Amino acid sequence: MGSAVAQCPHGITSHSTGNLGQNKLGYSSRCSKFPCQLDFARFGLLHQGSSAASSSDHSTEFGRRINAVPDMDDMFWDKVPTPLLDMVENPIHLKNLSVQELKGLASEIRSELSCIMSEKPNSLKASLAVVELTIAIHHVFHAPVDKILWDVGEQTYAHKILTGRRALMRMMRQKNGLSGFTSRFESEYDSFGTGHGCNSVSAGLGMAIARDIKGKRDRVVTVISNATTLAGQVYEAMSNAGYLDSNMIVILNDSRRSLHPKIEQEPKTSITALSSTLIKIQSSKSFRKFREAAKGITKRIGRGMHELAAKFDEYARGMIGPQGSTLFEELGLYYIGPVDGHNLEDLICVLQQVSSLDSMGPVLIHVITEDNHQDAECNEKIESDNPQEGMITSYDDSVSSSVQTRTYSDCLVDSLLMEAEKHKDIVLVHAGMEMEPSFQVLQETFADRFFDVGMAEQHAVTFSAGLSRGGLRPFCIIPSTFLQRAYDQVVHDVDRQKIPVRFVITSAGLVGNSGPVYCGAFDVTFMSCLPNMIVMAPSDEDELVDMVATAAQIDDRPVCFRYPRGAIVRTDHFMHPGIPLEIGKGRVLVEGKEVALLGYGAMVQNCLKAQALLSRLGIEVTVADARFCKPLDTELLTLLCENHKFLITVEEGSIGGFASHVAQFIALNGHLDGTVKWRPIVLPDSYIENGLPEEQLARAGLSGHHIAATVLRLLGRVREALLLMC
């Protein structure tokens, strides 16, 4: 074993520990054209002088994280050889490859992805579907000068491999590893950060207009998906793009997936040799010029002739394209398609034609892909790695387990089923990127009363308000991070009108390896500031069931409750019927002296862990469960302040949440003027990167040990606090 340094063509130095001659991927020994390794200390950082590089905190953060790379011998695994992929370290190496070589590269990328991502079959399918499209984009366009934007993180894995991040793919969504999404702080090839989808057309249009104002000539390419087209922002952006008429390319990756089974059962659009030829004509520069010239002639002849010609053009193009294709023309985008997303010749031809079009406005390329388009080798790998029938994988991608684990969502489903027996007017609305497996039971049981609207979170909230005004009891189920997108609707369509919508906020708090994109850090803050909203959070599965019953009975104002992602507290739990709670009432779980821990939601469990640790040191503390953030249990707060020297509030939320409401009350009522001292423990004012849930809690200072250490420091026992954290 030794250390080796190699130089890449683009000035990226490699530092690798290990016997390079025995490297199973053979970057050095087997790739004579590009004999290099990546320098993980420098990889992915933006060039000095770029706008994003000025954010020193983020750049430094990523530089520090990338250094933590596993030993090379541990990273590389037995798999089929990938000689073409071994030569590709960044997109420039694709330029001189023939179409046949690019096809071979696509096969190798599929093999690579199946080895790396086989434990996440859903993400893998989305990535495998766009391999040829990703290769074609990078073959034709010149990133990072040309801007390539993606809407959905799961479709970017091939993009990450081709842009210098191959060696770190096994560390995706892990501590000190790659993000599961595109990130400006991770690579200069990621022009814009992927989050909840539907943002790429808006951001791409902004980049295109900025380019035009500055007189530059780079291309802007955005890739959207079926899920993206459920969100209204996409159509707002397309309409604006059509009006502004700036050059940009929108690629719709159509995997033929829909929320509506009836649509999926309809005949699928076929791609034939004739349609392939017509698409190439459609995308050609000469045809576009002829079409623009024809428009000019008909305008000069007269308005009637121009309108007649426009209708004929729309009718003819509608005959060529699939059903609904003229929608994009109406929005002002020149429609090309459908294109076979697995035919590299057609993809490259169309993209090359479109990339050469100057001053002809926005274009939409409709690409048809198949989620199950895989090599036989990949199919075998995925099938062998998938769980057996009867086993489940956790929705939390921080845990890969084939053991049947009961989650908070399972408890929610059971409690909703029980409440639906009592209240026949209960209806369920679900929104978000994807549905947890638990909710599929509800969908099957209440086929006529379960509405899954996908990424249309804004619609989900106002739709729920309409259901409520129609005399029903809607439960609107939205993950915390996606509820952020519908906040305006929560304010004006629900809370301001005091409409009783029951918000079920899932995946609240830290979410493990889904990182900051899916982290639910802000819901307590932005929901509890609304005048009419009841805000509560269960400390365990028993309280979750009771809060479902509580929400079902509230019919004069909106209510919300949050619960974390993952397993319940007690695995041998027996489901009991829900008992409605008294609004605004908490409870004391453990009585002690001097110090009171007031937990909110899931953090009550960590307060109990801290209490157990402190009890071993002879310190008896009080542990209370707030249950409600709004309205607060003011009697409980007064009792805690009068009988203790220290009050510590603990929550898995941002600044401005539960602790802020506590501070408002105890300050205005003079409790801080007496002997009690108050300390809040909240999430830090920063985004917590990927990691296991316990790692994230430790980093945030919210573990039982951290809470106990805070108590010890307040009591002046600093040395014991330090020892506790060792």
Side-chain angles (χ1 to χ4, degrees):
M1 301 292 287
S3 179
V5 178
Q7 188 70 30
C8 288
H10 295 278
I12 303 177
T13 310
S14 165
H15 300 274
S16 175
T17 303
N19 189 336
L20 296 179
Q22 295 176 357
N23 189 324
K24 293 177 183 176
L25 288 185
Y27 282 143
S28 266
S29 59
R30 291 168 54 192
C31 301
S32 56
K33 289 186 180 179
F34 304 107
C36 75
Q37 296 279 345
L38 293 177
D39 176 6
F40 299 111
R42 297 176 58 195
F43 144 80
L45 294 180
L46 301 176
H47 289 317
Q48 304 228 342
S50 68
S51 59
S54 61
S55 178
S56 58
D57 291 343
H58 293 287
S59 297
T60 305
E61 170 80 7
F62 190 75
R64 183 174 65 254
R65 291 193 293 109
I66 288 301
N67 274 319
V69 177
D71 186 86
M72 299 293 284
D73 289 334
D74 295 330
M75 281 183 56
F76 300 122
W77 54 97
D78 292 329
K79 63 181 187 66
V80 291
T82 54
L84 288 167
L85 185 55
D86 293 344
M87 293 192 298
V88 177
E89 294 168 11
N90 57 61
I92 199 171
H93 297 149
L94 297 177
K95 303 300 181 183
N96 295 325
L97 295 181
S98 66
V99 173
Q100 198 60 38
E101 288 172 321
L102 292 175
K103 290 179 180 178
L105 178 64
S107 178
E108 292 181 12
I109 290 176
R110 280 202 171 84
S111 174
E112 185 95 353
L113 284 172
S114 67
C115 291
I116 298 170
M117 304 298 298
S118 56
E119 67 273 13
K120 298 181 178 69
N122 292 332
S123 297
L124 178 59
K125 284 184 178 181
S127 296
L128 294 175
V130 296
V131 169
E132 285 86 0
L133 176 59
T134 306
I135 291 173
I137 289 172
H138 281 297
H139 178 75
V140 173
F141 297 97
H142 303 277
V145 176
D146 290 335
K147 306 299 185 293
I148 300 171
L149 295 83
W150 302 80
D151 248 8
V152 182
E154 283 77 9
Q155 295 182 358
T156 63
Y157 299 161
H159 163 77
K160 286 176 179 280
I161 286 177
L162 293 174
T163 53
R165 288 167 276 185
R166 178 189 182 190
L168 289 173
M169 289 296 290
R170 271 204 176 271
M171 297 179 66
M172 183 178 292
R173 295 177 182 260
Q174 296 180 22
K175 184 179 180 181
N176 298 331
L178 294 178
S179 168
F181 310 88
T182 55
S183 170
R184 293 171 48 245
F185 310 114
E186 185 176 290
S187 172
E188 62 181 336
Y189 292 98
D190 294 351
S191 300
F192 200 80
T194 310
H196 298 158
C198 83
N199 65 353
S200 66
V201 180
S202 299
L205 179 60
M207 293 178 183
I209 296 299
R211 171 204 61 201
D212 296 342
I213 291 174
K214 291 189 173 184
K216 296 182 179 180
R217 295 179 58 84
D218 51 280
R219 308 291 181 183
V220 177
V221 182
T222 71
V223 184
I224 63 177
S225 67
N226 298 80
T228 296
T229 58
L230 295 171
Q233 183 180 347
V234 169
Y235 300 102
E236 294 171 3
M238 287 184 182
S239 178
N240 194 216
Y243 172 76
L244 294 174
D245 204 34
S246 182
N247 280 3
M248 69 178 295
I249 300 164
V250 179
I251 300 175
L252 170 58
N253 170 37
D254 183 0
S255 59
R256 307 183 199 251
R257 295 287 180 184
S258 171
L259 289 173
H260 310 290
K262 291 180 181 178
I263 295 177
E264 289 188 6
Q265 292 167 7
E266 291 180 357
K268 295 181 178 179
T269 304
S270 60
I271 301 175
T272 63
L274 175 61
S275 65
S276 178
T277 302
L278 291 173
I279 290 161
K280 292 173 183 176
I281 295 172
Q282 266 186 304
S283 60
S284 67
K285 191 171 185 177
S286 56
F287 180 81
R288 287 290 303 276
K289 283 186 174 180
F290 171 77
R291 186 169 180 262
E292 294 300 317
K295 281 184 181 180
I297 293 171
T298 55
K299 281 182 180 179
R300 285 195 292 271
I301 293 174
R303 181 177 177 181
M305 179 60 71
H306 177 69
E307 290 179 352
L308 179 64
K311 289 183 181 295
F312 177 78
D313 178 63
E314 181 179 341
Y315 176 77
R317 289 169 60 71
M319 292 288 289
I320 296 173
Q323 185 178 4
S325 59
T326 55
L327 167 65
F328 303 108
E329 292 278 347
E330 292 290 337
L331 290 171
L333 281 73
Y334 181 75
Y335 175 87
I336 299 172
V339 183
D340 185 350
H342 304 293
N343 187 321
L344 270 166
E345 290 98 332
D346 284 1
L347 284 171
I348 291 172
C349 176
V350 170
L351 291 175
Q352 285 176 336
Q353 295 272 31
V354 170
S355 69
S356 67
L357 300 178
D358 291 321
S359 304
M360 291 193 177
V363 174
L364 183 133
I365 304 173
H366 183 188
V367 175
I368 303 292
T369 61
E370 298 288 347
D371 280 351
N372 60 354
H373 184 87
Q374 301 159 5
D375 300 332
E377 202 171 303
C378 292
N379 277 319
E380 292 176 7
K381 174 67 179 172
I382 294 168
E383 288 172 8
S384 65
D385 286 338
N386 277 345
Q388 297 178 358
E389 188 176 353
M391 309 297 278
I392 63 168
T393 49
S394 172
Y395 178 70
D396 182 357
D397 58 13
S398 66
V399 180
S400 183
S401 172
S402 59
V403 179
Q404 199 130 17
T405 303
R406 188 165 173 78
T407 67
Y408 277 95
S409 290
D410 293 327
C411 289
L412 173 73
V413 169
D414 290 344
S415 59
L416 284 172
L417 290 172
M418 287 190 291
E419 290 302 319
E421 292 298 319
K422 304 176 192 175
H423 306 281
K424 301 299 182 182
D425 53 357
I426 284 181
V427 290
L428 307 164
V429 180
H430 178 272
M433 285 284 284
E434 60 184 19
M435 190 190 303
E436 295 185 43
S438 305
F439 298 140
Q440 293 173 3
V441 176
L442 288 174
Q443 191 175 36
E444 293 167 2
T445 307
F446 299 109
D448 297 330
R449 289 192 280 166
F450 188 99
F451 305 94
D452 181 23
V453 301
M455 290 175 63
E457 295 89 358
Q458 296 173 335
H459 166 66
V461 171
T462 306
F463 176 53
S464 297
L467 291 170
S468 181
R469 291 294 299 126
L472 298 176
R473 296 175 189 259
F475 279 79
C476 187
I477 307 170
I478 306 181
S480 174
T481 186
F482 295 107
L483 185 58
Q484 296 163 187
R485 302 173 62 159
Y487 189 56
D488 182 67
Q489 284 70 27
V490 172
V491 174
H492 290 289
D493 298 341
V494 176
D495 190 77
R496 188 172 60 83
Q497 302 183 55
K498 292 190 71 173
I499 296 177
V501 173
R502 299 142 190 91
F503 292 100
V504 182
I505 305 173
T506 70
S507 297
L510 301 170
V511 290
N513 290 340
S514 290
V517 174
Y518 287 160
C519 177
F522 311 112
D523 59 272
V524 179
T525 299
F526 66 68
M527 295 298 272
S528 63
C529 69
L530 301 179
N532 297 315
M533 187 73 65
I534 295 174
V535 183
M536 52 187 178
S539 63
D540 57 25
E541 57 273 20
D542 288 329
E543 284 191 343
L544 174 60
V545 175
D546 291 341
M547 287 182 183
V548 171
T550 305
Q553 289 203 344
I554 295 173
D555 59 4
D556 61 344
R557 49 187 160 164
V559 58
C560 70
F561 58 90
R562 63 170 356 217
Y563 65 81
R565 180 186 288 190
I568 58 177
V569 177
R570 293 182 293 279
T571 55
D572 58 346
H573 181 67
F574 174 75
M575 194 76 178
H576 73 279
I579 303 171
L581 302 172
E582 182 180 352
I583 302 300
K585 283 297 178 183
R587 58 175 178 163
V588 175
L589 301 177
V590 179
E591 290 195 19
K593 303 173 183 177
E594 287 196 89
V595 180
L597 300 176
L598 178 59
Y600 181 67
M603 286 299 99
V604 171
Q605 299 302 322
N606 283 10
C607 289
L608 290 171
K609 292 177 183 177
Q611 182 269 334
L613 289 169
L614 293 167
S615 180
R616 296 173 196 168
L617 298 175
I619 303 171
E620 300 302 325
V621 299
T622 296
V623 178
D625 175 8
R627 284 180 172 167
F628 291 86
C629 175
K630 189 173 186 179
L632 278 172
D633 188 341
T634 55
E635 290 182 10
L636 175 61
L637 269 174
T638 300
L639 182 68
L640 295 176
C641 289
E642 290 177 349
N643 296 323
H644 299 84
K645 293 182 179 179
F646 302 99
L647 171 65
I648 301 175
T649 56
V650 187
E651 63 181 304
E652 194 176 0
S654 67
I655 298 169
F658 173 68
S660 177
H661 287 262
V662 171
Q664 181 82 356
F665 172 76
I666 62 178
L668 291 179
N669 286 272
H671 294 300
L672 290 179
D673 301 338
T675 58
V676 69
K677 296 180 180 178
W678 167 69
R679 296 290 186 274
I681 300 179
V682 301
L683 286 175
D685 193 23
S686 62
Y687 294 100
I688 307 290
E689 295 298 331
N690 302 333
L692 295 175
E694 58 269 21
E695 293 172 338
Q696 289 189 315
L697 284 171
R699 184 174 178 184
L702 285 169
S703 69
H705 281 73
H706 284 85
I707 298 169
T710 300
V711 172
L712 289 169
R713 283 195 293 270
L714 286 174
L715 295 175
R717 299 167 68 165
V718 179
R719 184 173 180 277
E720 289 172 287
L722 293 173
L723 289 173
L724 189 64
M725 297 308 300
C726 291

